[in-house]
């Protein structure tokens, strides 16, 4: 067998083995995604508990359903900028909820409102009353990357970074955010923001990527077989010296 042909066969086999490895890696990622989705779904569908009870274990606090009552502090409300909904520009409203005078307020994401520039909104139009009973799920603060505050807009933030938010508020806040899903206001005629949707629990593209990698591996193996057969046929047809 010619050296070039042998080199091609070795290369194709190595490439095929790599594709198989990547295919199984994608299947592993799919299994992890499904396990995460199952854990999230179970938390979202458990009966609501108190905020303190839900956040006792930080590892399982995220997406846990909670219910808490307190007083909204609209004077320290923040605007979470550049939050699109169904393709429309807007913002989300982050309002401190004072549950107890002896504890830091809980930052509540009350939902989305339309803003043409994705940054500015008249906050006074979206007050829901001072006292509130909030039902929602727990969400994490995120690490800050790049610019957090928006200097051109009062009380606007680009990211949910806890230390930056505390600096803007001038006080500490609870270690988790609550994303509001329901509230006592919805029993009446009070106007309120569009509540943030629950996280989508799709499986992503892992299965499709796995299929592609296995297809590439199959093509490599079939190619090796074709080249090997062609080389063998040419060797038989070649006249003996």
């Amino acid at each position: 067998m010619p050296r070039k042909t042998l080199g091609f066969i070795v290369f194709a086999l190595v490439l095929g083995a790599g594709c198989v490895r990547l295919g199984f890696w994608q299947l592993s990622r799919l299994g992890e995604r499904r396990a995460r989705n199952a854990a999230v779904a179970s938390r979202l569908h458990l009966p609501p508990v108190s905020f303190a009870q839900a956040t006792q274990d930080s590892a399982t606090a995220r997406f846990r359903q909670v219910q808490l009552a307190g007083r909204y502090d609209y004077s320290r409300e923040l605007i979470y900028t550049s939050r699109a909904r169904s393709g429309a520009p807007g913002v989300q409203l982050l309002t401190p909820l004072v549950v107890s005078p002896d504890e830091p307020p809980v930052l509540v994401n009350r939902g989305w409102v339309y803003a043409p520039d994705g940054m500015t909104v008249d906050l006074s139009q979206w007050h829901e009353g001072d006292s509130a009973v909030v039902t929602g799920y727990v969400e994490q603060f995120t690490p800050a990357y790049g610019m957090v505050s928006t200097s051109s807009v009062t009380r606007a933030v680009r990211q949910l970074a806890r230390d930056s938010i505390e600096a803007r508020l001038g006080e500490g806040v609870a270690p988790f955010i609550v994303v509001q899903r329901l509230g006592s206001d919805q029993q009446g005629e009070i106007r309120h923001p569009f509540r943030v949707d629950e996280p989508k629990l799709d499986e992503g593209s892992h299965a499709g990527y796995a299929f592609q990698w296995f297809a590439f591996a199959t093509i490599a193996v079939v190619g090796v077989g074709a080249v090997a057969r062609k080389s063998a046929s040419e060797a038989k047809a070649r006249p003996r010296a």
Side-chain angles (χ1 to χ4, degrees), residues 16-111:
C19 290
V20 169
R21 176 70 184 87
L22 289 170
F24 280 113
W25 175 67
Q26 286 293 343
L27 290 179
S28 175
R29 294 286 304 278
L30 177 60
E32 294 172 359
R33 185 74 168 261
R34 287 173 173 172
R36 174 188 176 277
N37 287 348
V40 170
S42 67
R43 295 175 198 171
L44 287 172
H45 293 98
L46 286 173
V49 297
S50 69
F51 181 80
Q53 182 178 346
T55 57
Q56 282 180 346
D57 184 355
S58 60
T60 59
R62 193 181 186 195
F63 303 123
R64 190 70 168 86
Q65 291 274 18
V66 295
Q67 187 174 81
L68 61 168
R71 175 183 58 81
Y72 276 132
D73 184 357
Y74 295 110
S75 67
R76 296 179 183 273
E77 191 166 45
L78 297 176
I79 299 171
Y80 187 18
T81 63
S82 302
R83 301 293 103 191
R85 177 185 174 88
S86 301
V91 301
Q92 292 175 3
L93 307 184
L94 307 174
T95 312
L97 181 71
V98 180
V99 178
S100 168
D102 300 325
E103 299 176 359
V106 178
L107 199 65
V108 176
N109 185 333
R110 294 196 294 121

Side-chain angles (χ1 to χ4, degrees), residues 5-219:
T5 301
L6 182 60
F8 170 79
I9 291 175
V10 171
F11 171 77
L13 289 176
V14 171
L15 181 63
C19 290
V20 169
R21 176 70 184 87
L22 289 170
F24 280 113
W25 175 67
Q26 286 293 343
L27 290 179
S28 175
R29 294 286 304 278
L30 177 60
E32 294 172 359
R33 185 74 168 261
R34 287 173 173 172
R36 174 188 176 277
N37 287 348
V40 170
S42 67
R43 295 175 198 171
L44 287 172
H45 293 98
L46 286 173
V49 297
S50 69
F51 181 80
Q53 182 178 346
T55 57
Q56 282 180 346
D57 184 355
S58 60
T60 59
R62 193 181 186 195
F63 303 123
R64 190 70 168 86
Q65 291 274 18
V66 295
Q67 187 174 81
L68 61 168
R71 175 183 58 81
Y72 276 132
D73 184 357
Y74 295 110
S75 67
R76 296 179 183 273
E77 191 166 45
L78 297 176
I79 299 171
Y80 187 18
T81 63
S82 302
R83 301 293 103 191
R85 177 185 174 88
S86 301
V91 301
Q92 292 175 3
L93 307 184
L94 307 174
T95 312
L97 181 71
V98 180
V99 178
S100 168
D102 300 325
E103 299 176 359
V106 178
L107 199 65
V108 176
N109 185 333
R110 294 196 294 121
W112 179 93
V113 298
Y114 174 72
D117 61 356
M119 298 177 65
T120 55
V121 65
D122 183 357
L123 295 175
S124 64
Q125 294 184 8
W126 298 101
H127 291 184
E128 302 180 57
D130 293 334
S131 299
V133 177
V134 176
T135 300
Y137 62 88
V138 175
E139 183 56 279
Q140 296 174 326
F141 286 97
T142 58
Y145 297 102
M147 185 181 297
V148 174
S149 298
T150 302
S151 58
S152 60
V153 181
T154 304
R155 294 189 293 180
V157 295
R158 297 173 182 267
Q159 301 180 49
L160 299 179
R162 185 183 177 189
D163 55 351
S164 297
I165 285 175
E166 289 179 333
R168 294 297 296 270
L169 294 176
E171 64 176 341
V173 295
F176 290 91
I177 298 169
V178 171
V179 179
Q180 184 170 358
R181 299 294 295 134
L182 296 172
S184 56
D185 61 279
Q186 292 180 273
Q187 303 301 320
E189 299 299 326
I190 300 176
R191 185 185 186 194
H192 61 77
F194 289 96
R195 306 306 185 192
V196 177
D197 295 330
E198 292 183 352
K200 293 182 179 180
L201 303 179
D202 60 81
E203 294 185 351
S205 304
H206 300 299
Y209 288 146
F211 175 81
Q212 289 179 359
W213 286 121
F214 289 137
F216 292 152
T218 301
I219 292 171

